[in-house]
Amino acid sequence: MGNLPVEASPLVGRRAELTQVARRVGRSRLMTVTGVGGVGKTRLALRTAATLQPLFADGAWWVELSPLRQGKLLPHTIAEALPLADHSTRPVIDMLADHLAGRQLLLVLDTCEHLVEECQMVIEALLHAAPGLRILATSRRPLNLLTEEVFTLEPLPLPAPTKREGGGLDPAGPVGLAGPGYPAAPADSAAGGTAADGAEADALVLLADRAARAVPGFALTPANRAELVTLCRRLEGLPLAIELAAARLRHLPLAELNRRLEEERYALLGETEHAVRDTIPPWHQALRTAIGWSHQLCTPAERLLWARLSVFAGSFDAEAAEQVCADVRLPAADIPALLGSLVEKSLLTWQPAEAGERYRMLDTLREYGAGWLSRLGEEEVLHCRHRDHYLRLAQAGDAAWFGPDQFAWCDRMTAEHGNLRAALEFCLSRPADHHTALELAGALWFFWYGCGFVTEGQYYLTRALTADTAPSRTRVRALFGCCMLLAQLGDQAGAEIWAAQCAEQAGRFGEAEAATATATAVLLAILRSDYTELVTLTESLPVPRSRMDEVDYPIVMTMAASGHAYISTGRIERAVAVLDGLHAHCSWHGECCLRSWVEINYAQAELALGRHLTAEEYARSALQVKHRLHEGVGRGMAIEVLAQATAGLGRSEHAAYLLGLAQQIWGTLGRPQLGIPAWEADRRACEQRARQALGAHAYQQAFDTGLHADLETGVARALAGGGEPPGPPPALPGPEPGPEDAGPRT
């Protein structure tokens, strides 16, 4: 159980360090691996976590903090990684504490140095709440907590100096960067020193391995060993420096590479004042040398792209690189080849992903590029291009959401999560961009609502609405989005505040804004369970006369709300007629997020008519979509309705299991069933029915099994009808309208 990323390449050496870190994790609740950038902290933590994972009943979970620039979102990021739906009005840290309280789990926080204060507060809170929790962190500096045990990772052991042809020791000397004021590393240290006789040093093994990956057929031989040893020692055994050097062997012979590095390293270090340079540890100097040397060996276009790519947070795709980085100096047509060249030089990492090919730059290399971007005077213009690209992307997603590509948009925007946050933070930091922040946060409503980021969306929408208070169509739309998220959180009081503003400002604009304000009032009526008002409001809104009509998303959402109102008041035939029209409309457009809500309502209608088997099919179909989109409330409701159908079919044990699974989900959300009385009553009736059929003890056993199940396994079991699924569950489509008939079912 867990989410540990796959190692991109095998870890070389580090056996002693792995043993030490694993042992310390076993005896200390907080273990921090520190060390210079590029020394391999992340790789060591990943391998350690993979080794220890079987020892933790609830698995090992990886949280990447590198793309995160806003410390307030640290709890959200951890919740997202676990994964927990962030649909709660409570502070997310409280939700995390409750979730972890009874679990035995290893949490890995990778790259903490830029969020030390935030990490301190979050770690202390979680360790206090969860006795079975262990945290493994990586950071360039300690977190300075009383519970912390620190392990400083040093560079790889170096090979012993070799005699050159013509006699004499390797001029690189004992630490590689020879010269006055350069302190020597201890020769007998466990890491960063010289390897013992009879075994190849880890630094040399790593260099040979990476060289073989860069140059097919390359191997360590007696003929090239001296040159490889010299290169290892000049690079101080620093893994990142070795990786960068090995990549150069595609274009330079080994001897030439060594000669050029020897000639250029002092010039590269010359950027630092000599007095300061003499106090910098040699490992830092080696890294600066290796990165600066790689920079010098890049073409001017590659250097410029490297600098410009530093504005991205986390990963990015080729399209984003073209949109943000291209101009007259760097034509868009050249970007794909330049990206490939930077990958070849190990300056970028290529990553396949569900949303398509993506690229990532290590923090150390990104920071170097950001420094050059600043020197070029292009920081502001590149961040503005980054802002504009992600605003256009959000607006495109907004326009396309009611269509056939919702899964693709969900995957794409989730992959861009770090960049969306970075663009929002950039806008919110500049008063001149506050309206743009409102545009961006409002356009992302579909991401916040449909892809499982409700609390974060409410956080950003609230900040943007507070920053830009001038009446505008953009503000009306953003107010609706904020109310929609608060409704998902079950926060009636908060929704009422923003809904009042929406109603007041919408009157200044046109019919579309007035309809949006009415849709906002519909959300409040749902939270109040005021079905009379709900029906009155929904009947006042324009509805699509045919399935081909284009209708704004807030309006079609209210159609589903009216279906809920009719079901709750016992008007089943009327509910089905409304739902049939909406289902046909969604199906025509290929929309699945709202259609799955219709299927939940269909299932509730079928239950009211005593047709449990049909209700089960609708609920399972809805669950597939809600789980795929990570939509917390919808997933919880689909499982609960499925439990009600299962209980009606006499499978009481499975119904109890599903109720436990649903409770697991509600535990990460706001109010269970959104506090809607009709839904709460349905759950109580289902629980009572299953408990009476099984007996209290058997019911509790089945319920607890679902409550503590792995979520993915539990959903797969639910979709398989209670048995163990042999593979991915088949699609269970809802009723499709005939070619000419979108009317009620018979």
Side-chain angles (χ1 to χ4, degrees):
M1 188 184 300
N3 69 335
L4 298 181
V6 177
E7 295 184 67
S9 56
L11 180 67
V12 173
R14 301 299 198 193
R15 292 184 181 179
E17 293 90 335
L18 280 166
T19 300
Q20 290 185 55
V21 173
R23 183 181 297 120
R24 295 186 187 194
V25 170
R27 74 187 185 201
S28 175
R29 300 192 61 206
L30 171 61
M31 172 73 222
T32 303
V33 179
T34 65
V36 66
V39 78
K41 301 181 294 296
T42 295
R43 294 297 306 276
L44 182 69
L46 178 56
R47 177 59 62 87
T48 301
T51 301
L52 296 176
Q53 187 172 22
L55 303 179
F56 289 87
D58 296 293
W61 298 86
W62 187 269
V63 185
E64 183 181 357
L65 301 182
S66 174
L68 185 64
R69 291 291 174 263
Q70 174 57 258
K72 291 182 180 179
L73 293 177
L74 176 59
H76 295 77
T77 305
I78 297 173
E80 176 189 341
L82 282 175
L84 291 174
D86 61 341
H87 294 42
S88 176
T89 54
R90 296 181 301 160
V92 179
I93 187 65
D94 293 345
M95 178 194 71
L96 279 173
D98 289 348
H99 175 77
L100 295 172
R103 286 175 164 80
Q104 293 183 340
L105 182 144
L106 176 63
L107 188 65
V108 187
L109 304 179
D110 184 43
T111 314
C112 298
E113 59 267 7
H114 61 300
L115 300 169
V116 168
E117 290 184 3
E118 293 85 354
C119 285
Q120 289 172 343
M121 292 186 288
V122 169
I123 287 171
E124 284 190 320
L126 295 184
L127 290 179
H128 176 74
L133 176 66
R134 294 288 186 276
I135 296 177
L136 173 59
T138 71
S139 177
R140 294 184 195 176
R141 56 193 177 115
L143 302 179
N144 297 319
L145 290 169
L146 293 176
T147 54
E148 180 183 31
E149 185 163 351
V150 176
F151 179 86
T152 302
L153 185 63
E154 298 180 351
L156 293 166
L158 296 168
T162 59
K163 289 190 175 182
R164 292 281 195 164
E165 192 174 318
L169 291 177
D170 182 348
V175 294
L177 289 171
Y182 284 58
D188 59 350
S189 62
T194 302
D197 292 340
E200 292 290 10
D202 288 342
L204 184 58
V205 175
L206 176 64
L207 178 57
D209 177 82
R210 300 306 191 252
R213 291 172 180 270
V215 183
F218 185 95
L220 173 62
T221 67
N224 65 17
R225 188 180 189 282
E227 291 286 357
L228 288 170
V229 168
T230 299
L231 184 57
C232 280
R233 296 181 64 77
R234 287 202 174 109
L235 298 175
E236 299 296 336
L238 199 66
L240 176 57
I242 290 172
E243 299 260 5
L244 294 174
R248 301 305 308 183
L249 291 173
R250 292 189 180 98
H251 307 290
L252 289 176
L254 179 57
E256 175 68 7
L257 185 150
N258 241 328
R259 183 187 66 78
R260 292 181 67 171
L261 179 57
E262 171 67 13
E263 291 174 354
E264 295 170 5
R265 61 182 177 170
Y266 292 110
L268 292 165
L269 286 170
E271 299 170 4
T272 305
E273 292 294 332
H274 184 77
V276 175
R277 195 168 67 239
D278 288 350
T279 65
I280 297 175
W283 301 330
H284 290 262
Q285 296 172 7
L287 181 60
R288 185 176 179 84
T289 299
I291 296 176
W293 171 64
S294 292
H295 189 263
Q296 281 204 352
L297 293 177
C298 286
T299 66
E302 290 168 350
R303 294 178 198 170
L304 183 57
L305 182 58
W306 179 352
R308 291 180 174 182
L309 291 173
S310 68
V311 300
F312 288 101
S315 64
F316 56 90
D317 60 17
E319 179 187 349
E322 291 178 22
Q323 293 292 323
V324 174
C325 300
D327 58 13
V328 175
R329 295 178 62 194
L330 202 60
D334 296 347
I335 298 290
L338 290 169
L339 290 171
S341 180
L342 292 176
V343 170
E344 189 179 68
K345 293 176 171 65
S346 294
L347 298 169
L348 285 180
T349 302
W350 174 85
Q351 299 176 319
E354 288 183 353
E357 297 181 350
R358 298 187 68 79
Y359 300 87
R360 180 180 293 275
M361 185 180 290
L362 290 176
D363 276 359
T364 308
L365 300 177
R366 184 188 59 77
E367 289 163 5
Y368 190 92
W372 275 96
L373 190 67
S374 177
R375 295 181 193 183
L376 292 170
E378 290 191 349
E379 273 185 305
E380 182 172 359
V381 67
L382 262 294
H383 280 288
C384 287
R385 288 188 201 169
H386 181 275
R387 170 205 65 197
D388 294 343
H389 171 70
Y390 285 102
L391 175 59
R392 289 192 298 269
L393 183 65
Q395 291 170 335
D398 180 5
W401 183 250
F402 195 81
D405 299 320
Q406 286 180 331
F407 290 162
W409 276 105
C410 180
D411 292 341
R412 183 174 187 182
M413 302 307 278
T414 300
E416 297 288 5
H417 197 173
N419 285 305
L420 296 172
R421 283 173 170 169
L424 282 163
E425 291 297 336
F426 177 74
C427 293
L428 289 166
S429 70
R430 294 157 46 101
D433 278 333
H434 283 172
H435 185 71
T436 304
L438 191 62
E439 288 183 294
L440 179 54
L444 285 170
W445 70 269
F446 70 95
F447 177 61
W448 312 128
Y449 162 76
C451 304
F453 299 99
V454 174
T455 300
E456 182 174 333
Q458 191 265 334
Y459 167 79
Y460 275 121
L461 276 167
T462 299
R463 288 180 64 192
L465 286 165
T466 303
D468 178 30
T469 58
S472 66
R473 287 184 167 88
T474 297
R475 183 171 177 82
V476 171
R477 182 77 169 196
L479 285 164
F480 169 78
C482 194
C483 290
M484 180 172 57
L485 299 182
L486 288 167
Q488 286 278 294
L489 297 170
D491 185 355
Q492 179 179 331
E496 286 177 343
I497 293 172
W498 294 115
Q501 290 193 30
C502 187
E504 187 275 325
Q505 295 197 8
R508 308 184 187 190
F509 302 102
E511 292 182 2
E513 287 71 31
T516 298
T518 302
T520 305
V522 166
L523 295 172
L524 288 178
I526 293 174
L527 291 176
R528 298 180 185 128
S529 295
D530 188 341
Y531 298 120
T532 301
E533 181 184 7
L534 182 54
V535 170
T536 300
L537 288 168
T538 55
E539 289 180 347
S540 72
L541 287 168
V543 297
R545 291 185 175 84
S546 79
R547 57 196 175 190
M548 293 173 283
D549 286 356
E550 293 294 335
V551 178
D552 203 21
Y553 205 90
I555 295 176
V556 293
M557 285 181 64
T558 62
M559 295 174 65
S562 65
H564 159 67
Y566 290 130
I567 292 170
S568 298
T569 54
R571 300 162 67 183
I572 306 301
E573 289 187 4
R574 178 59 179 152
V576 169
V578 171
L579 295 173
D580 280 342
L582 182 53
H583 193 279
H585 193 68
C586 292
S587 298
W588 176 262
H589 289 276
E591 199 276 348
C592 61
C593 180
L594 184 57
R595 189 177 75 169
S596 58
W597 269 114
V598 173
E599 289 171 342
I600 290 173
N601 286 334
Y602 268 146
Q604 291 171 323
E606 293 293 327
L607 287 171
L609 296 171
R611 299 199 286 247
H612 299 95
L613 186 60
T614 309
E616 181 184 43
E617 292 176 355
Y618 282 127
R620 289 171 64 192
S621 178
L623 178 57
Q624 280 186 277
V625 173
K626 296 307 184 188
H627 187 60
R628 175 65 176 78
L629 292 173
H630 312 292
E631 188 188 330
V633 171
R635 181 162 49 187
M637 279 307 302
I639 293 174
E640 288 216 344
V641 175
L642 183 58
Q644 294 160 27
T646 302
L649 291 168
R651 300 201 300 271
S652 301
E653 183 177 353
H654 185 51
Y657 174 89
L658 291 173
L659 289 173
L661 185 65
Q663 186 59 41
Q664 177 188 151
I665 294 172
W666 292 121
T668 69
L669 304 177
R671 299 168 66 187
Q673 302 88 35
L674 298 184
I676 295 174
W679 290 358
E680 292 175 331
D682 288 342
R683 178 190 170 86
R684 287 194 299 269
C686 180
E687 179 181 344
Q688 183 178 6
R689 184 173 191 170
R691 191 184 295 273
Q692 287 176 346
L694 294 173
H697 179 71
Y699 172 85
Q700 196 63 45
Q701 274 193 321
F703 179 90
D704 289 344
T705 301
L707 181 64
H708 299 296
D710 171 71
L711 184 58
E712 293 294 329
T713 304
V715 170
R717 181 176 172 184
L719 292 172
E724 292 301 323
L732 291 170
E736 296 294 339
E740 302 297 335
D741 179 22
R745 300 169 305 161
T746 57

